[in-house]
Amino acid sequence: MLRWYQARLASRPLLTQSITTAVLFATGDVLAQQAVEDVGLDKHNLARTGRMALYGGAVFGPAATTWYKVLQSRINFRSQTGTIVARVLADQTIFASTNLFVFLSTMAVLEGSDPKAKLKSTYVEALKKNWMVWPGVQFVNFRYVPLEHRVMVVNVVSIGWNCYLSYLNSKA
């Protein structure tokens, strides 16, 4: 399975990362609904899971894949630690804040609700929580994980994070 995945990454990186991200975003939502909210299978909101999968595959997967390539090529210092810290700072100030804004706005539009209201009620809280989790994850990711596997690392950690985001989004 790992060889198959690595072969797909080598031949079609963007598509592979996007499909993987869609599946894992949906998984996070299923966990939110079934393990956190305990709605039961009969009341599972498939449209909500679909929205999460759509966002993961169509927006986050391609954006993160491209973003990590930009960080890899544009932020390089003599010190490896300085490079990693600068990449984490860029990731958290530019990408994370923007992605969270786009995620919450997109979910509001797809749900037929007001993006401004959604952002007002959830953005700051979610961004603070983001900064409690992701800087450490990204430091390890940028330090030890090869570029082609960074989105997968983020996707695995994101199962829990997306569970939180899905829950937060559903309560707004």
Side-chain angles (χ1 to χ4, degrees), residues 81-158:
T81 301
T83 297
I84 294 166
V85 168
R87 287 177 183 171
V88 170
L89 284 171
D91 184 66
Q92 291 303 297
T93 58
I94 300 167
F95 187 77
S97 58
T98 302
N99 178 63
L100 189 56
F101 178 91
V102 173
F103 170 79
L104 293 168
S105 299
T106 300
M107 289 299 119
V109 168
L110 292 174
E111 294 162 356
S113 63
D114 179 20
K116 280 186 180 181
K118 173 85 67 161
L119 288 165
K120 185 175 181 180
S121 68
T122 59
Y123 182 78
V124 172
E125 177 188 349
L127 190 58
K128 287 179 186 176
K129 296 277 196 276
N130 173 88
W131 289 337
M132 295 169 74
V133 173
W134 288 104
V137 171
Q138 291 296 53
F139 187 89
V140 170
N141 199 18
F142 296 146
R143 171 67 179 92
Y144 298 106
V145 179
L147 176 62
E148 67 271 13
H149 296 296
R150 288 182 186 156
V151 174
M152 177 56 88
V153 168
V154 167
N155 283 337
V156 169
V157 175
S158 285

Side-chain angles (χ1 to χ4, degrees), residues 16-32:
T16 303
Q17 305 248 31
S18 295
I19 291 170
T20 303
T21 303
V23 169
L24 293 175
F25 264 62
T27 301
D29 178 69
V30 169
L31 283 172

